[in-house]
Amino acid sequence: MKSKTSDISTVVIINKNQQHTKSLQIKTKHLNRLKHYAWSIATVVAVLGGLVFYLHHKSAAQEAENLQLQAQIAKLKGTVPVIKTPVNTQVTAQSYIQSIEVKLKTINEYLRRRGLKGFTIKGTGGDSNKEGVKLPDTEAYSLYDDYLKHLTSTIAFTPMGYPRISSFTSFFGYRSDPFNSEHAEFHPGIDFKGNRGDEVKCTASGKVVFAGWAGGYGNCIRIKHINDLETLYGHLSKIEVKVGQQVTVGDNIGKVGSTGHSTGTHLHYEVRKNGRPINPVNFLTLNK
């Protein structure tokens, strides 16, 4: 069924120069509804524009809120006290033990250089006090660590052990004069058996206060240590240190010989306290 002529409208399209025209035939009812179409499109555009504006406004509000929250967090960080992590007592105890072990190894090295056997500690942590209350681990280890520091220094600078590893040929005290058996003499040290050229080692760290010829001692070395202690090494064939030189326990200071008032090759060794000879046997081991 064809549409009636009155139901069809013709739309003429004329360009700017009016040379060419174009015509379109559209149903009249659509032209009548064009106003409604325009309103519908305008309404959709308005809704979309309003939605975009709303979302933008909401985003800006959230951004402002985030900035405010960040400012509050920064302020709280400045007022809330920092909570320190508790010290791991097990790690602390282990560090003390490791420190103690290092000092024990140092002490044992000093002893080894003197020809003495080192020692070990079976237990750590200290003893209980008189009331029977055991000290806290950290306090006990700290006291023990301080003691070992003192012990390390004392052992390093106290004459101890053997200036050379060998048997004795004469001891401290009165004896028959080797040059005149009818007379007795006081022997102020210990004689160690040896061959000419054998190394002589100092028994403690200290300062050389004499190195040269000393009458009956022949070539002699005297070393000053802590607590007014001094060691003497006599009858040497060679002196390898100088006056004023600082020496460390175990250093080679000279060679065994038979210089001075001597009946044969050996090392004469003395320990003196405030300039007076004392029995070196008391300094040969830790048990004296």
Side-chain angles (χ1 to χ4, degrees):
M1 180 177 175
K2 293 184 179 181
S3 300
K4 296 179 181 181
T5 305
S6 59
D7 295 335
I8 305 256
S9 298
T10 301
V11 178
V12 179
I13 302 174
I14 303 173
N15 59 10
K16 292 182 179 180
N17 55 22
Q18 299 182 356
Q19 294 179 357
H20 300 283
T21 60
K22 184 179 291 186
S23 62
L24 295 175
Q25 289 185 343
I26 303 174
K27 290 183 178 182
T28 303
K29 64 179 182 179
H30 290 314
L31 291 176
N32 295 332
R33 295 175 181 173
L34 184 61
K35 185 178 180 179
H36 298 289
Y37 294 154
W39 276 106
S40 298
I41 294 173
T43 301
V44 171
V45 171
V47 171
L48 291 175
L51 181 61
V52 170
F53 177 79
Y54 170 76
L55 293 176
H56 176 74
H57 177 74
K58 186 176 182 180
S59 177
Q62 288 180 343
E63 183 68 22
E65 186 178 358
N66 289 338
L67 292 175
Q68 185 178 6
L69 289 175
Q70 290 176 3
Q72 291 177 351
I73 291 173
K75 185 177 180 180
L76 289 174
K77 285 183 177 180
T79 57
V80 176
V82 177
I83 301 176
K84 296 182 178 180
T85 303
V87 178
N88 189 326
T89 55
Q90 182 177 2
V91 174
T92 302
Q94 290 176 354
S95 65
Y96 275 118
I97 292 173
Q98 291 173 355
S99 176
I100 290 172
E101 288 177 348
V102 170
K103 293 180 180 63
L104 286 176
K105 288 180 181 179
T106 303
I107 293 172
N108 282 334
E109 177 63 18
Y110 287 145
L111 298 178
R112 185 190 63 78
R113 291 182 182 182
R114 293 177 169 98
L116 296 175
K117 184 178 180 180
F119 62 91
T120 58
I121 302 298
K122 294 183 179 179
T124 57
D127 297 328
S128 300
N129 57 25
K130 295 181 179 180
E131 289 74 18
V133 179
K134 188 176 181 180
L135 293 174
D137 286 344
T138 54
E139 183 177 349
Y141 289 148
S142 179
L143 292 173
Y144 197 22
D145 184 67
D146 290 339
Y147 169 75
L148 285 178
K149 288 179 182 178
H150 171 73
L151 183 61
T152 301
S153 176
T154 301
I155 289 181
F157 289 90
T158 300
M160 189 180 299
Y162 297 75
R164 58 169 283 95
I165 305 301
S166 67
S167 58
F168 306 132
T169 58
S170 184
F171 290 91
F172 180 87
Y174 286 95
R175 66 176 185 177
S176 297
D177 186 344
F179 293 93
N180 185 351
S181 58
E182 295 182 358
H183 294 84
E185 69 167 1
F186 179 76
H187 188 239
I190 296 177
D191 292 341
F192 290 88
K193 184 179 180 180
N195 298 315
R196 180 180 176 84
D198 288 345
E199 289 186 351
V200 176
K201 298 182 178 181
C202 61
T203 56
S205 301
K207 181 179 179 180
V208 178
V209 294
F210 182 86
W213 189 269
Y217 288 109
N219 289 326
C220 173
I221 298 172
R222 294 197 342 259
I223 301 175
K224 186 174 182 60
H225 312 286
I226 62 172
N227 298 328
D228 297 317
L229 290 171
E230 186 177 287
T231 52
L232 181 149
Y233 311 79
H235 306 311
L236 304 173
S237 61
K238 185 178 181 181
I239 295 173
E240 296 187 340
V241 292
K242 298 179 180 179
V243 173
Q245 180 177 337
Q246 295 288 339
V247 292
T248 303
V249 53
D251 284 352
N252 180 28
I253 59 174
K255 304 292 184 182
V256 172
S258 185
T259 57
H261 196 61
S262 171
T263 58
T265 304
H266 69 284
L267 170 66
H268 176 79
Y269 174 66
E270 293 182 16
V271 176
R272 297 180 176 181
K273 175 74 171 179
N274 294 321
R276 300 183 62 180
I278 55 179
N279 194 346
V281 171
N282 296 329
F283 295 86
L284 295 181
T285 70
L286 290 174
N287 297 323
K288 295 294 183 179

